[in-house]
Amino acid sequence: MANNTHTHSSTLSNAKVKRRSSIAQIREDLIGYAFVAPMVLGLFVFTLFPIIASFFLSFTDWNFVAGFSKVKFLGLDNFIKLVHDSVFLLSLKNNMILMIVVPLTLIISLLLAVVIDKKIYLKDFFKVIYFIPYISSVVAVAIVFQVLFHPTYGPLNQILMDLGVANPPKWLADPDVALYCVMGLMIWISIGYNMIIFMAGLQSIPKDLYEAADIDGASKFRQLMSITVPLLSPTTFFLLVTGIIGTFKAFDVISVLTGGGPANSTTVVVYRLYETAFVNLQSGYASAMAIVLLFLVLLITLVQWLGQRRWVNY
């Protein structure tokens, strides 16, 4: 009888412990969900919902000023129109050219990171100097470059004319040169960020590898290509993916520096999308551009993910 009573009491105590632990677990889960909820809500409201809405609107002729009552279904007409839109095709071409910015920035940033990471004086000073353009206002930087590249009164052309150049380039006023000026500015802005990330990656490379390479008589260039570059490949891959996505999101630099001109020579897809949606008030057509841009970015990112197996060393 006593044994049965003891067994029953122990069973009740175990049940109470399990109930308390389950309540504590539920409380912890609710607290976790409460912390995650703002991020998930923001992701849905500002990312997933606009993507879904743009997908449906891309099949319509709609002006957001007129309201949803004026939505007119067009089917695939917007996408067919895109294929014959010369300005959109030119903006797509310009985006492809802008991707050259990423590998150039990575190469320059890696070389700077390797040099500054060595035992040189004022290492922190150089880090700050190269990082300042990245944290500076893009609008302010673009205005400075507008003055710098002014075809008549710009300091750059004044120096060239003082050196005897009779007809210096028109820079931002020349359709053949303007896009390359934008690329130069984008490289200059991005170098500092990429350099800092590379320097963080360099700290994880064992110094023993370089010491062994020195003993074997390997040159500094051979050490760079055989040790530094392979072991930094995960960092390089991260910067490559984010950098290429960043070139497709380029808007503020284009808007302030050139306004898409001259003759649409610096227009990119996002800027063309902005003009179509908020200047020409063609929201459905702009949504079709957004969907094309989304799938293009996803395709390029997928190609990079598949290709990274060949050269990224984890």
Side-chain angles (χ1 to χ4, degrees), residues 1-299:
M1 186 70 179
N3 289 336
N4 291 336
T5 304
H6 177 73
T7 302
H8 181 67
S9 61
S10 63
T11 302
L12 290 176
S13 62
N14 290 336
K16 291 180 180 180
V17 170
K18 290 181 179 179
R19 191 181 303 111
R20 289 174 183 174
S21 63
S22 62
I23 293 175
Q25 184 64 45
I26 293 173
R27 187 182 296 113
E28 289 183 6
D29 291 342
L30 291 176
I31 293 174
Y33 291 139
F35 277 108
V36 174
M39 180 65 183
V40 175
L41 184 63
L43 177 66
F44 179 80
V45 172
F46 296 110
T47 303
L48 296 181
F49 176 74
I51 291 175
I52 296 171
S54 295
F55 178 77
F56 287 107
L57 289 174
S58 65
F59 300 102
T60 67
D61 177 18
W62 180 59
N63 176 357
F64 71 91
V65 177
F68 287 104
S69 61
K70 302 295 183 180
V71 174
K72 180 182 178 181
F73 183 75
L74 296 179
L76 297 175
D77 287 357
N78 284 332
F79 295 97
I80 296 173
K81 184 179 177 182
L82 282 178
V83 178
H84 301 93
D85 187 342
S86 59
V87 179
F88 174 75
L89 295 177
L90 178 60
S91 67
L92 204 57
K93 175 186 174 183
N94 290 338
N95 262 125
M96 296 300 172
I97 296 175
L98 277 184
M99 287 197 297
I100 301 175
V101 165
V102 180
L104 291 177
T105 305
L106 292 179
I107 293 172
I108 298 172
S109 301
L110 176 59
L111 294 177
L112 287 173
V114 171
V115 171
I116 295 177
D117 190 60
K118 300 299 180 182
K119 296 179 180 179
I120 63 172
Y121 294 105
L122 303 176
K123 182 185 299 186
D124 294 333
F125 172 77
F126 284 107
K127 289 180 183 178
V128 172
I129 289 297
Y130 283 108
F131 197 67
I132 283 177
Y134 182 77
I135 60 176
S136 300
S137 169
V138 174
V139 174
V141 170
I143 292 175
V144 171
F145 266 70
Q146 271 186 332
V147 176
L148 183 65
F149 285 117
H150 193 280
T152 305
Y153 306 107
L156 189 57
N157 274 2
Q158 290 293 328
I159 294 173
L160 291 176
M161 286 188 287
D162 291 340
L163 294 176
V165 179
N167 296 308
K170 298 300 181 182
W171 303 116
L172 296 175
D174 187 347
D176 297 326
V177 181
L179 185 61
Y180 299 105
C181 295
V182 174
M183 292 170 65
L185 174 57
M186 293 176 66
I187 292 173
W188 184 70
I189 291 175
S190 303
I191 281 177
Y193 171 77
N194 287 271
M195 186 191 74
I196 295 297
I197 300 298
F198 273 131
M199 292 187 72
L202 287 172
Q203 306 306 314
S204 63
I205 299 179
K207 304 301 180 184
D208 297 344
L209 297 177
Y210 293 105
E211 294 174 0
D214 284 329
I215 295 174
D216 291 338
S219 64
K220 296 298 181 182
F221 179 76
R222 174 53 61 186
Q223 293 180 28
L224 174 67
M225 300 305 297
S226 300
I227 299 176
T228 307
V229 173
L231 293 183
L232 281 180
S233 56
T235 304
T236 305
F237 176 66
F238 165 75
L239 293 174
L240 182 66
V241 172
T242 55
I244 288 180
I245 293 175
T247 61
F248 280 96
K249 297 193 301 180
F251 172 80
D252 43 8
V253 173
I254 303 293
S255 179
V256 178
L257 192 60
T258 64
N264 293 315
S265 60
T266 59
T267 298
V268 291
V269 175
V270 172
Y271 188 79
R272 176 61 178 164
L273 189 156
Y274 161 77
E275 284 187 325
T276 304
F278 300 105
V279 178
N280 301 329
L281 299 179
Q282 298 176 344
S283 303
Y285 191 43
S287 297
M289 294 182 187
I291 295 302
V292 171
L293 180 62
L294 173 64
F295 280 103
L296 183 60
V297 172
L298 289 176
L299 178 62

